[in-house]
Each structure stands twice: as structure tokens, then as C-alpha cells.
Amino acid sequence: MGWPFLGETFEFIKQGPKYMRGQRERYGNVFKSHILGSPTVISMDLELNRYILLNESKGLIPGYPQSMLDILGHLNIAAVSGPAHKHMRSNMLSLVGTPLIKDRLLPRLDKYMRIHVSNWDGLVVDLQEKTMDMALMIAFKQIAEAEANLVYGDFKPEFEKLLAGSLSLPIYFPGTKYYQGIHGRKNVIKILKGIMEKRWDSKVVYDDILEYLLRDMDAKLNHDEVIDQIITILYSGYETVSTTSMMAVKYLHDHPQALQELRDEHFRIQKRKTSAEEPLNWEDIKSMKFTRAVVYETLRLATVINGVLRKTTEDMTLNGFVIPKGWRIYVYTREINYDPFLYPAPFQFNPWRWMASTGEGSDAVFDQLLAALCPAFDSCSRCCQQQRFEALVVEADARIQESIRKRHVLVTVTNEESAARVSYASAGLENDIRTVTEEDQQQLRNLFIVIQFRSGGVYPV
């Protein structure tokens, strides 16, 4: 299990999937380790993972590392369970309902994306840097639009410290990532409280997420809960959206046929517009069938999220293994995305695998994967509240790629290793799976939500 206290944390973070494969070859699909300051059982067994995700209330609770709890906040939605989780989940879901997406989020997203690429003419840009800035800025403007331009310059570096420290050993000593993360959190809270205090003293009514959380009596969240939810919203979508957008551009660059088909689809949408400045609407999003397939395939192949953590509240016996109370269980499901039984030629970028044989979209594939991979849809208690917003960001970003090409912008990734890396720090509002009705399934199709378990396999993000 590695060195005392340090365990195998460095190998886990630095080597990522390579470390996991090596341990599985030595010990099998279930083995123990010591990562991020805690003894941990790592499960790569599909049936055991399914059982764990379905039985959170039976001796299992969210098991985020201590560093993540301290930095994201102990009141964030991903850390709580039981009634507290249900209460917060209800409030968060109300922020991303279909009417709000159609009437408020989508028009603003289109506007923000146009602004983001408006000054790229003739430039060489670092794609990783630009997509990360895009993800954070757009999310921050959705939360506090009026103040975003004024405080974003101070907010971003502090948030990046918070992000880096959230997945580190909890050693509070100057120079460590954990130390910097804690101070980043303090400064982020200071900025958010400053905005909140000004709004309380103002009679102006704003139209953003922060206004809803502060003034809507149905929300009934105290200020500490509001701050932790805002931090979690920003955290959960930062690397997931930015990495997916970056990798989508890379895959399209490497596969000209896919790029051409995507361009053709967007040219058809453009022809329906009365002018180049007319924004995207709901019907445009619904018609992006191949774009949706590109997003699906990018999420599958890049696999931004690799797994989720649970913590035992009592001694448990799973698959013949006794797991002591207080240990964490890392449900690792990344490899399901590369299962050749589910995905022929799994390491090939092939968006057409998500298209039905009739060419009318991916509903048939959607249903097959839902039946084969998502039995948890019938009885699990968690689902990702930010899934719809994240999907729309990537969809809109795909359309903006065409305007990038028109401006002759040379997009580069300056660090190949960084471009290809898989982030372990993007757990955020992770694999929250709920009972899905037929109506829910249709909404998922319409919203182009990728079926990914958010633990790294194919499930609803």
C-alpha cells in the first residue's frame, strides 16, 4: 500500500490509467491501496461497481478525499447524503430545467461564445488555455453576470489554486498544493461574499443563478450553502467542459472526413438564418445530429472522469472482501469505454458509431446502451445537475469551430502531454443517477446528454 501516509498517491495521480492497469495485472479487479491520505479499496469489477452505485444508503456515503472536502466545502452537494442531498439536488435541478435552458441559458451561451472567439483573427492560440478560460468564464457569467467582468481577473487565479489543491495530500504547510488550495478557497469566498453583500444592499433584481439562490424562498439555502454550491458548480464543469472541447477540436483536426460532415451540418443551419449574427435557437440544437455524435465519441474516447469515491460507514463484506469502516472505495469504470464488445475498434475516433443505421440520429444506440450499461437508472439516488449546461457548452463550441476556421485561426496545443491527459480533479457533481421515466429519456435525447456514468463509463453525465 505504499509509504506511510503518502501511500501510492503520487503513482495514482502521475501514472493514472497506467497505474490502474498495472495493479490489476498484479492483484486482479479488486485490490487495496492508500491514496490521497486514506486506505482505499479500488474496484474495477463491473458487477461490484454496479452494486456500489446502487446501494449508497446501505453503509456507503460519498467518499471524497479530505483535501477535496476542505477545499470545495463540506456543504457542497456532492459531499452530503440523505435529506440534505435531496434538498440541495432539488434546488440545483431547478436551475437547469428545459424552459430555462431554452429561454435563458442557450441565448447567453451563444453570446458568450461569440465574444470569446471574436478577437482571434490571425492569431496562434493555445487551445488548452483558451478552452479552460472559456469554461470558467461562461460558467461564472451564468452565476454572476453583472459582476463577472469586474472581478473575474482576481477570481480566476484564486480558483485555479483551489482546483490544484483539491486533489492533493492534506498537508497544510507553505508551498504545498493543499496549503495553496485552502488559501485559494478563502480568497474565492471573499470575492463571492463581496458580491453577495452588495446585492443584499441593492434593490436591483438580477437575472442569474446567484440571484435565484439568494432570493428565491423556495431554495432556502443559507449563505454558506450558497457559496459551496457555487464553488461546486464552477469546479464540476471546469475541466470536464474544457478538456472535452479541446479534445473534440483535436479529434476533428485528425479526422478530416468527420470535420467535413460536421461543417456541412452547420452550414445547413447557417443557411436557415437571416443573418450571420442570428443566434442559435432550440431547433438548431435539436438538429445537430452529427455534432451530438461527435460529442458522444469525444467523451467516450477522452474519458475525462475515471471514477468516483465512496466511504464505508460500517464494516462491509463485498465479493468476499471485508472492508473496514471508514475506508474508501474507488469505483473505477474508465475501461468500459474501451470494451471492444461494446465499441468495435474502441481506440478509433468514430462518431458514426453513435448514429442509427437509418441516419436519423442516435436514439437506437442510446436505448441499447441504456439497457446494457445503466441498470442503475432504475434505483440510484444521484444525477449530475450540470449535465445539460455542460452538453450545451460543447454543442455550441462545435458551431463556433466553423467561425474559427473562417477567421484563419491556427489552433495549437503547446503541450502534447497536457492535451492528452485525463483529469482526476473534475469529480464535482459526479455520478448522480436517478430513476428515469420515458419522459426523462426523451428529454435526455433532446438535450443530447451523453449516457455516461460520470464515473468514467458510459452513463448520463
Side-chain angles (χ1 to χ4, degrees), residues 182-194:
I182 291 293
H183 282 269
R185 172 180 169 81
K186 290 179 180 178
N187 292 328
V188 163
I189 290 175
K190 183 178 179 181
I191 292 171
L192 292 177
K193 281 189 173 179

Side-chain angles (χ1 to χ4, degrees), residues 109-141:
L109 177 59
D110 184 276
K111 179 181 73 173
Y112 299 152
M113 287 300 302
R114 290 172 185 270
I115 294 173
H116 186 69
V117 302
S118 62
N119 60 349
W120 291 13
D121 292 10
L123 298 180
V124 175
V125 298
D126 184 323
L127 183 58
Q128 183 181 23
E129 177 186 324
K130 291 295 185 181
T131 54
M132 292 178 75
D133 189 52
M134 170 203 74
L136 184 58
M137 171 58 94
I138 288 177
F140 192 64
K141 283 191 172 185

Side-chain angles (χ1 to χ4, degrees), residues 46-267:
L46 181 60
E47 291 301 320
L48 180 56
N49 289 348
R50 185 176 298 164
Y51 175 83
I52 292 169
L53 292 174
L54 284 167
N55 290 276
E56 180 178 306
S57 61
K58 299 178 181 179
L60 294 165
I61 60 174
Y64 287 101
Q66 191 62 44
S67 57
M68 190 175 289
L69 289 174
D70 293 342
I71 291 173
L72 295 188
H74 291 259
L75 298 176
N76 83 76
I77 189 172
V80 299
S81 58
H85 174 265
K86 291 181 180 179
H87 170 60
M88 290 184 183
R89 175 175 173 268
S90 175
N91 292 318
M92 300 300 284
L93 283 173
S94 66
L95 297 173
V96 289
T98 302
L100 279 176
I101 287 179
K102 293 169 65 175
D103 300 333
R104 188 171 68 86
L105 294 183
L106 180 56
R108 294 182 181 187
L109 177 59
D110 184 276
K111 179 181 73 173
Y112 299 152
M113 287 300 302
R114 290 172 185 270
I115 294 173
H116 186 69
V117 302
S118 62
N119 60 349
W120 291 13
D121 292 10
L123 298 180
V124 175
V125 298
D126 184 323
L127 183 58
Q128 183 181 23
E129 177 186 324
K130 291 295 185 181
T131 54
M132 292 178 75
D133 189 52
M134 170 203 74
L136 184 58
M137 171 58 94
I138 288 177
F140 192 64
K141 283 191 172 185
Q142 295 286 0
I143 289 168
E145 184 175 27
E147 299 86 357
N149 291 333
L150 295 175
V151 304
Y152 183 72
D154 296 327
F155 182 88
K156 183 182 178 182
E158 300 304 325
F159 182 81
E160 289 176 341
K161 293 177 187 176
L162 177 155
L163 183 75
S166 63
L167 205 70
S168 62
L169 286 169
I171 302 173
Y172 189 72
F173 188 81
T176 64
K177 288 186 177 181
Y178 179 75
Y179 181 90
Q180 295 172 0
I182 291 293
H183 282 269
R185 172 180 169 81
K186 290 179 180 178
N187 292 328
V188 163
I189 290 175
K190 183 178 179 181
I191 292 171
L192 292 177
K193 281 189 173 179
I195 296 173
M196 292 163 64
E197 289 171 0
K198 288 181 180 179
R199 291 201 176 190
W200 275 118
D201 295 334
S202 173
K203 295 182 179 180
V204 178
V205 178
Y206 298 89
D207 182 22
D208 53 32
I209 290 174
L210 179 59
E211 184 74 6
Y212 169 80
L213 293 175
L214 286 176
R215 299 189 187 273
D216 195 307
M217 295 305 295
D218 293 332
K220 297 179 182 177
L221 299 176
N222 62 47
H223 283 194
D224 290 336
E225 289 174 329
V226 169
I227 287 173
D228 280 358
Q229 301 328 307
I230 290 174
I231 291 174
T232 305
I233 290 171
L234 293 170
Y235 180 92
S236 64
Y238 184 45
E239 289 204 18
T240 50
V241 170
S242 62
T243 302
T244 302
S245 300
M246 175 181 68
M247 295 307 295
V249 174
K250 180 186 184 301
Y251 292 146
L252 289 169
H253 172 271
D254 295 343
H255 298 83
Q257 184 180 356
L259 175 60
Q260 187 59 49
E261 185 157 344
L262 182 137
R263 294 184 69 197
D264 291 343
E265 181 171 81
H266 287 274
F267 277 133

